[in-house]
Amino acid sequence: MFAIVYITTSSKEESTRIGKKLVQERLSGCVNIPNDVKSFYYWEGNIEEDTESVLLVKTKTSKVEKIIKRVKELHSYENPCIVALPIINGSPEYLNWLNEEMERDSNK
């Protein structure tokens, strides 16, 4: 019923902009942006090394597809990392709060 969507971005500013949008639009009840991460990956045949920012987006599984679509609209990368991981268990009080926040009217 719930998931964490792991997203990398080019900077803390980009993570902040995307994270706030996802919460404002009630696609997520909470977004965390931990300290920057060092990333190594292949891109167009070359090994790249970057400092990136991470978003940990807590949401309902029913909203994951909308999050993927929205992040692609907002993101600066051609092919952003957007990966959903299921939440298999958690504090019932926290999960209830998370659910309630995403059910509220986003226009209020």
Side-chain angles (χ1 to χ4, degrees):
M1 181 172 191
F2 296 97
I4 292 178
V5 182
Y6 175 90
I7 302 164
T8 58
T9 69
S10 65
S11 66
K12 204 159 287 237
E13 292 77 24
E14 184 172 32
S15 286
T16 299
R17 181 176 53 79
I18 292 172
K20 281 184 177 180
K21 272 285 191 209
L22 296 177
V23 172
Q24 287 170 346
E25 294 175 9
R26 299 289 184 182
L27 294 172
S28 174
C30 178
V31 172
N32 301 116
I33 304 171
N35 290 330
D36 292 340
V37 297
K38 182 65 99 177
S39 298
F40 301 93
Y41 55 92
Y42 272 102
W43 183 249
E44 297 180 349
N46 298 308
I47 293 180
E48 301 290 332
E49 179 179 338
D50 281 322
T51 299
E52 294 183 296
S53 182
V54 171
L55 289 99
L56 299 173
V57 179
K58 294 172 234 163
T59 191
K60 295 165 70 171
T61 54
S62 61
K63 295 184 181 260
V64 169
E65 288 302 319
K66 288 180 183 175
I67 288 171
I68 292 169
K69 181 178 186 231
R70 190 66 174 121
V71 169
K72 285 181 175 181
E73 292 170 352
L74 299 168
H75 209 290
S76 65
Y77 289 175
E78 179 182 328
N79 184 20
C81 170
I82 310 167
V83 180
L85 308 166
I87 295 174
I88 58 170
N89 204 346
S91 160
E93 297 83 4
Y94 181 80
L95 296 177
N96 285 336
W97 169 83
L98 186 63
N99 186 55
E100 288 172 6
E101 288 306 313
M102 286 182 284
E103 293 303 315
R104 293 185 192 277
D105 182 358
S106 63
N107 296 318
K108 291 185 179 179

